[in-house]
Amino acid sequence: MAKIFCIANQKGGVGKTTTTVNLSAGLAKVGQRVLMVDLDPQGNATMGSGVDKRSLKLSVYDVLLGSAGVGEARVRSDKLDDAGCGYDILGANRELAGAEVELVDLDQREKRLKIALTAVSADYDFVLIDCPPSLSLLTLNGLCSAHGVIVPMQCEYFALEGLSDLVNTIKQVHANLNKDLQIIGLLRVMFDPRVTLQQQVSEQLKSHFGEKVFDSVIPRNVRLAEAPSYGVPGVVFDPASRGAQSFLAFADEMVARINKEAAQPA
Amino acid sequence: MTPSAVLLLPGWQNSGELHWQSLWERLHGYRRVQQHDWMRPLRGDWLVQLEEAVLACGEPAILVAHSLGCIQVAAWAAHSRSAHRVKGALLVAPGDVEREDLRAQLPGWSPIAREPLPFSSMLVASHDDPYCSFARAQSMARDWGAELTDLGRAGHINADSGLGDWPQGQELLRQLQQLN
């Protein structure tokens, strides 16, 4: 059964999509079977995975509305397959915004994605869901589907404010909709060790959240920033770059964490 | 009612300069609901544009839809929690997107929502509309609870129909406004 994780942070521009596509590619590179779900109508994770969002015949929108299953709607990118980092993509485009209107009066509106993913759970080791920054019905669908949340964050003062909003949201979803949901870990991204404030915030995070802070740190890296314009994750665009190497290390850390959890007695 | 509360909803590929919707926009100041992509209409995207336009209206809106715009109104009204903000809808020449040739060109728009509209509505149809048979338009009017107006042979009731600024349509709009 797949482990399902949301990549979420209610603050925008913190690297959610970069984390989602690079972790997907990194996990695929180390032999994991991965489905990436783009829950953001901007479709950046779709484009960043080598799939033109305008060419989608079916998307996560159709899955949420029940007019298609994940099996029919998922696609793959040749570019990623050729690089040995291929994963399945449940893509999104502008149409997904309509789900906010259309889901409102449907039964189990927060659980439509969870139900759809159950049908393909055996096909994957990991399902990674790229959530939009707002707390919307789309984000709720992501959080209701997931076993945990990976929170990418920059080590800046205001990042902690966004984190408290997210923690409150997760508590509410945990209490009312999804008892499995927990924060899996905080991932420090766009990290620049030369900036004193970033070091200080990083230390604060470790002292507050302890083991919840991933050991892997993703540095600020121009190759990661350039990759989306080529329609591939940084892990594919420049595998030797520091950013790509960091995401590969993060993929290893995730696999180790999951294996460790599985080995623990219930 | 201020002119900007009349929302014009063109169909697939938008309404050109000589279409009565464009003339109404220029003559009366009615507001066209813009779409991100008129050539490849994504249903969900179009519904959100309508939702936002209705929410932005300072007073109850009147929807004036043509062709795919009619299907958009039915799909939106079937789900939206903002439908109570609409006073009425004039639905002109609905496009039959369930027809095989149109379904292939407009994937995602089938099936047509057939729930009764939660506001007053009038549907205008023609006997030689290339995009919808009169019988199909009749059945949509019946399901939506719309009052049907038979325009005879007027094609797709667009610029090619030679209607000018379509005074008969303006009279129907006036009647619709007075229904409430």
Side-chain angles (χ1 to χ4, degrees):
Chain A
M1 295 291 276
K3 280 288 182 187
I4 304 175
F5 299 117
C6 281
I7 290 74
N9 191 326
Q10 282 170 248
K11 200 167 180 294
V14 295
K16 287 185 290 291
T17 300
T18 301
T19 301
T20 307
V21 300
N22 281 287
L23 180 57
S24 297
L27 288 168
K29 189 147 192 149
V30 297
Q32 302 294 309
R33 300 167 303 157
V34 180
L35 171 68
M36 191 283 292
V37 180
D38 190 351
L39 266 188
D40 190 332
Q42 289 185 49
N44 291 338
T46 304
M47 297 292 277
S49 297
V51 172
D52 185 346
K53 63 186 177 186
R54 291 157 298 199
S55 72
L56 292 171
K57 290 193 167 61
L58 293 167
S59 69
V60 68
Y61 168 78
D62 301 282
V63 171
L64 289 171
L65 293 185
S67 54
V70 177
E72 297 163 80
R74 63 190 166 193
V75 293
R76 283 181 82 88
S77 158
D78 290 342
K79 281 193 269 190
L80 304 196
D81 283 337
D82 293 346
C85 299
Y87 51 87
D88 285 355
I89 298 147
L90 185 53
N93 54 30
R94 278 186 192 280
E95 179 143 56
L96 180 56
E100 295 280 358
V101 176
E102 292 176 86
L103 285 178
V104 165
D105 61 342
L106 298 185
D107 287 341
Q108 297 195 291
R109 57 180 180 245
E110 304 94 351
K111 297 189 175 170
R112 312 280 295 187
L113 182 63
K114 179 188 172 84
I115 293 163
L117 288 175
T118 304
V120 295
S121 181
D123 297 353
Y124 301 104
D125 300 306
F126 286 91
V127 176
L128 301 181
I129 304 170
D130 187 34
C131 289
S134 57
L135 178 57
S136 60
L137 206 39
L138 295 172
T139 305
L140 275 181
N141 263 277
L143 294 175
C144 284
S145 309
H147 301 111
V149 182
I150 296 167
V151 186
M153 56 186 304
Q154 294 181 58
C155 291
E156 291 173 351
Y157 178 73
F158 287 113
L160 294 171
E161 253 181 35
L163 186 59
S164 63
D165 291 344
L166 181 65
V167 168
N168 286 334
T169 300
I170 289 170
K171 276 184 187 166
Q172 286 184 25
V173 173
H174 179 269
N176 300 308
L177 294 166
N178 179 5
K179 295 285 179 209
D180 290 340
L181 192 67
Q182 55 172 313
I183 290 186
I184 295 297
L186 309 179
L187 177 67
R188 290 161 289 172
V189 298
M190 299 186 216
F191 189 72
D192 185 344
R194 294 166 301 182
V195 178
T196 310
L197 177 64
Q198 294 209 2
Q199 284 181 339
Q200 287 170 346
V201 173
S202 177
E203 288 309 315
Q204 266 184 328
L205 282 177
K206 281 197 278 190
S207 64
H208 275 84
F209 294 97
E211 285 189 357
K212 288 284 185 193
V213 180
F214 287 109
D215 294 334
S216 307
V217 177
I218 311 300
R220 187 172 288 282
N221 180 259
V222 70
R223 304 300 274 168
L224 289 179
E226 286 172 346
S229 61
Y230 293 85
V232 289
V235 165
V236 173
F237 179 60
D238 185 354
S241 66
R242 282 196 315 127
Q245 289 295 313
S246 304
F247 271 114
L248 291 171
F250 180 42
D252 285 333
E253 188 179 353
M254 278 296 296
V255 174
R257 239 185 222 217
I258 297 308
N259 289 342
K260 190 175 160 191
E261 267 182 26
Q264 282 173 351
Chain B
M1 171 170 237
T2 53
S4 62
V6 178
L7 302 179
L8 300 169
L9 298 161
W12 183 24
Q13 301 180 19
N14 205 353
S15 293
E17 282 199 2
L18 298 178
H19 192 289
W20 55 268
Q21 281 186 316
S22 301
L23 297 174
W24 286 15
E25 183 182 31
R26 286 204 295 278
L27 289 170
H28 308 298
Y30 301 157
R31 193 150 55 94
R32 181 182 309 237
V33 176
Q34 291 294 340
Q35 300 298 341
H36 292 112
D37 193 339
W38 291 104
M39 304 311 285
R40 281 183 301 184
L42 296 173
R43 194 179 88 133
D45 189 26
W46 280 41
L47 299 196
V48 172
Q49 293 301 104
L50 174 52
E51 174 88 358
E52 289 180 354
V54 169
L55 289 173
C57 263
E59 58 189 302
I62 293 267
L63 310 180
V64 178
H66 179 251
S67 193
L68 186 64
C70 304
I71 309 305
Q72 175 192 11
V73 168
W76 173 80
H79 297 288
S80 175
R81 287 194 172 166
S82 309
H84 66 281
R85 290 169 175 259
V86 171
K87 195 172 172 186
L90 178 62
L91 307 166
V92 182
D96 185 0
V97 292
E98 290 177 355
R99 220 173 64 180
E100 206 170 324
D101 55 335
L102 291 177
R103 187 197 291 251
Q105 294 178 80
L106 297 168
W109 287 88
S110 300
I112 296 169
R114 292 295 194 129
E115 288 86 345
L117 296 174
F119 37 74
S120 304
S121 58
M122 293 178 172
L123 189 149
V124 187
S126 134
H127 284 267
D128 58 350
D129 186 337
Y131 301 108
C132 185
S133 70
F134 190 79
R136 287 280 290 169
Q138 261 181 323
S139 81
M140 287 181 218
R142 190 174 53 243
D143 290 349
W144 292 338
E147 188 182 311
L148 181 68
T149 297
D150 179 348
L151 214 60
R153 296 178 68 80
H156 194 40
I157 317 180
N158 56 10
D160 292 341
S161 308
L163 300 167
D165 64 351
W166 194 29
Q168 189 180 351
Q170 291 179 61
E171 173 55 24
L172 289 171
L173 177 59
R174 194 189 59 77
Q175 288 172 20
L176 185 67
Q177 285 170 320
Q178 287 182 345
L179 274 180
N180 296 275

